[in-house]
Amino acid sequence: MKSPALVKTFSNASADPIDVNTGARIRMRRKALGLSQTALAKALGLTFQQVQKYERGTNRISASMLVKAAAKLETTVGALVGEGESAVVAEGLLPKLAEPGATTLLENYVAMTPSVRRALVELSHHMTGDRQTR
C-alpha cells in the first residue's frame, strides 16, 4: 500500500505553485518571441508534449533544461523562476495566465476598443455568475 506522502509526491493533481509559475513564465516568454511549442521543443531536444507539461507545471523542469530553455528564450534562469518578481504577480496572475487560451484572450482584449472591452467584461461576469461590476 502506498503511503499518503508518496501518493501526494507523485500525483500531478496538485502541481507545485513554483512549477506552475515557472511554466507560465516559459509560456509567456515563448509566445512573446513568437515560438511554437514544437519549435521550442525541437531546439531543446524534446517533444512538444514535454514542453506543454513544463508550461502547465505538471512536470518539473530540471536545472539543466531550465538553463537551456532560458538560452533559447533569450532570457535568464532568474527571470524564468521569478527572481525579483513581486509575490502578487507570482501567486495571483501567473497561474491564471498558465491556463490554455489565457494569453490569447488577453492579446485579443488589448486589441479591442474600450466599449467592446467593457461589454466583454460584463459578459464574463454574467458567464461566471459574478454579477458585480468592477
Side-chain angles (χ1 to χ4, degrees), residues 79-128:
L80 293 179
V81 297
E83 189 174 87
E85 187 175 79
S86 77
V88 172
V89 172
E91 293 174 11
L93 187 58
L94 283 175
K96 294 171 185 160
L97 288 172
E99 291 292 323
T103 55
T104 301
L105 184 59
L106 182 58
E107 290 165 357
N108 291 337
Y109 178 86
V110 170
M112 294 174 188
T113 64
S115 62
V116 173
R117 287 180 187 172
R118 284 189 295 276
L120 181 61
V121 169
E122 186 63 31
L123 176 64
S124 71
H125 288 305
H126 289 288
M127 293 178 74
T128 62

Side-chain angles (χ1 to χ4, degrees), residues 31-44:
K31 291 186 74 104
L33 294 174
L35 290 173
S36 67
Q37 286 180 332
T38 302
L40 179 58
K42 186 175 180 182
L44 299 176

Side-chain angles (χ1 to χ4, degrees), residues 2-126:
K2 294 180 182 176
S3 73
L6 286 178
V7 172
K8 185 177 181 187
T9 302
F10 295 108
S11 171
N12 284 340
S14 58
D16 188 291
I18 294 170
D19 297 325
V20 172
N21 292 343
T22 299
R25 288 184 202 95
I26 290 170
R27 179 180 178 86
M28 287 189 302
R29 183 65 186 158
R30 175 183 61 75
K31 291 186 74 104
L33 294 174
L35 290 173
S36 67
Q37 286 180 332
T38 302
L40 179 58
K42 186 175 180 182
L44 299 176
L46 303 170
T47 63
F48 84 89
Q49 292 95 335
Q50 185 61 47
V51 169
Q52 189 175 60
K53 289 176 183 180
Y54 288 155
E55 289 183 354
R56 290 183 179 165
T58 54
N59 281 12
R60 290 184 171 165
I61 186 167
S62 69
S64 60
M65 190 56 66
L66 191 60
V67 169
K68 290 176 188 175
K72 179 60 185 171
L73 296 171
E74 303 170 7
T75 191
T76 65
V77 170
L80 293 179
V81 297
E83 189 174 87
E85 187 175 79
S86 77
V88 172
V89 172
E91 293 174 11
L93 187 58
L94 283 175
K96 294 171 185 160
L97 288 172
E99 291 292 323
T103 55
T104 301
L105 184 59
L106 182 58
E107 290 165 357
N108 291 337
Y109 178 86
V110 170
M112 294 174 188
T113 64
S115 62
V116 173
R117 287 180 187 172
R118 284 189 295 276
L120 181 61
V121 169
E122 186 63 31
L123 176 64
S124 71
H125 288 305
H126 289 288

